[in-house]
Amino acid sequence: MRRIDLVPALAALLITVAAGPLAAQGVVPKQKAAPAPKAVAAGAPPAAATTAAPAASGEAATADDKTKAIDGFRSAKFGSNEADVRAAIVKDFSAKPDAIRAQDNPSELTHSLLLSVPELLPNGGTAELSYVFGYKSKSLIQVGAVWSKGTDAAITPEKLFSNANILRAHFLSEGFKPDSIAVNMPVNGGIVMFRGSDAKDRSVILLLQGTFENKENNQRLLTPTSLLLFYVADAKSPDIFKLPPGQF
């Protein structure tokens, strides 16, 4: 089963996306059942693949009041201990305690709880959830979900693309900080379908991964192989093990 406690990779990804909008022209997810999103089709206007403009200063207070709060995933809240998260998983998914698997990351020195969930997204196939606990705090710092052949042998590139479109549309309606929102941003190995943060800089990242193929007119075709969704308490300074300065 694929490991999805990718805190350092998310930090790098968040910095890459925040550094500035990337042109998504010429990047098209390869699929059959659903049309490619206009924002990533060849010749699409740059505005379709950029970060949303900040609100005017006079609107800042009102915008902050309406900003989506990211405090975890369903009943599992950031800062919770393992016992509380286990109880939240049982409550949210009617999971049997022995269906929840534990996993340690030897390089980050974090601890995770894993659960396979059929139909986490309606008609979306089986996903694997990962609840990650910080190195020092031992509390919940990240929740991830992944859809791939590794989580569901019947999943297809078309299904992954459909799931990504459904989730992106949902998040775009949720009210994240306007200046934090990015959509359809090409990165190494895939496309950030959505990235958004709340007033406390807690983030949601939706990443469609796959293989690129170059076509005519400089068009790059993406065949999806996995869809990753992350809720992150602090992507810029994650609570993971790092060697103290000066030791080596």
Side-chain angles (χ1 to χ4, degrees), residues 226-247:
S226 62
L227 177 65
L228 291 83
L229 170 62
F230 295 98
Y231 298 80
V232 189
D234 186 353
K236 295 180 180 179
S237 300
D239 180 11
I240 61 174
F241 172 75
K242 296 178 183 178
L243 283 173
Q247 281 200 357

Side-chain angles (χ1 to χ4, degrees), residues 159-219:
K159 177 61 68 178
L160 293 172
F161 184 55
S162 175
N163 289 354
N165 277 336
I166 291 169
L167 288 168
R168 177 183 57 189
H170 168 73
F171 291 131
L172 283 171
S173 69
E174 282 287 273
F176 292 94
K177 285 196 306 183
D179 61 352
S180 76
I181 295 173
V183 295
N184 302 343
M185 306 281 285
V187 294
N188 289 337
I191 299 174
V192 176
M193 300 294 286
F194 178 87
R195 195 287 314 272
S197 302
D198 68 5
K200 296 183 178 180
D201 287 329
R202 299 170 297 195
S203 302
V204 168
I205 301 172
L206 180 65
L207 175 63
L208 187 64
Q209 291 186 321
T211 57
F212 283 104
E213 182 181 358
N214 292 322
K215 292 294 185 179
E216 297 178 358
N217 300 322
N218 294 322
Q219 188 179 68

Side-chain angles (χ1 to χ4, degrees), residues 8-225:
L10 285 178
L13 178 62
L14 190 66
I15 293 170
T16 298
V17 176
L22 302 175
Q25 298 179 17
V27 181
V28 180
K30 183 179 181 181
Q31 43 77 41
K32 298 177 182 178
K38 294 179 180 178
V40 294
T50 187
T51 305
S57 58
E59 301 173 359
T62 302
D64 286 345
D65 290 342
K66 297 179 180 180
T67 298
K68 167 76 173 181
I70 307 166
D71 57 2
F73 179 67
R74 299 194 184 181
S75 299
K77 305 304 181 185
F78 292 138
S80 298
N81 61 31
E82 181 173 342
D84 288 342
V85 172
R86 284 182 177 271
I89 294 171
V90 170
K91 174 185 176 183
D92 290 341
F93 303 106
S94 300
K96 295 181 179 179
D98 59 2
I100 303 171
R101 310 183 311 281
Q103 177 177 271
D104 293 323
N105 187 307
S107 58
E108 300 171 10
L109 299 186
T110 55
H111 178 70
S112 300
L113 297 177
L114 307 178
L115 179 71
S116 293
V117 181
E119 307 300 316
L120 178 66
L121 182 67
N123 198 37
T126 297
E128 183 172 78
L129 289 174
S130 173
Y131 298 78
V132 184
F133 298 87
Y135 160 60
K136 292 181 179 179
S137 67
K138 311 302 180 186
S139 63
L140 187 66
I141 62 170
Q142 176 182 296
V143 182
V146 60
W147 291 262
S148 70
K149 283 285 187 183
T151 68
D152 187 339
I155 209 157
T156 63
E158 292 76 29
K159 177 61 68 178
L160 293 172
F161 184 55
S162 175
N163 289 354
N165 277 336
I166 291 169
L167 288 168
R168 177 183 57 189
H170 168 73
F171 291 131
L172 283 171
S173 69
E174 282 287 273
F176 292 94
K177 285 196 306 183
D179 61 352
S180 76
I181 295 173
V183 295
N184 302 343
M185 306 281 285
V187 294
N188 289 337
I191 299 174
V192 176
M193 300 294 286
F194 178 87
R195 195 287 314 272
S197 302
D198 68 5
K200 296 183 178 180
D201 287 329
R202 299 170 297 195
S203 302
V204 168
I205 301 172
L206 180 65
L207 175 63
L208 187 64
Q209 291 186 321
T211 57
F212 283 104
E213 182 181 358
N214 292 322
K215 292 294 185 179
E216 297 178 358
N217 300 322
N218 294 322
Q219 188 179 68
R220 299 178 69 204
L221 203 65
L222 176 70
T223 300
T225 56

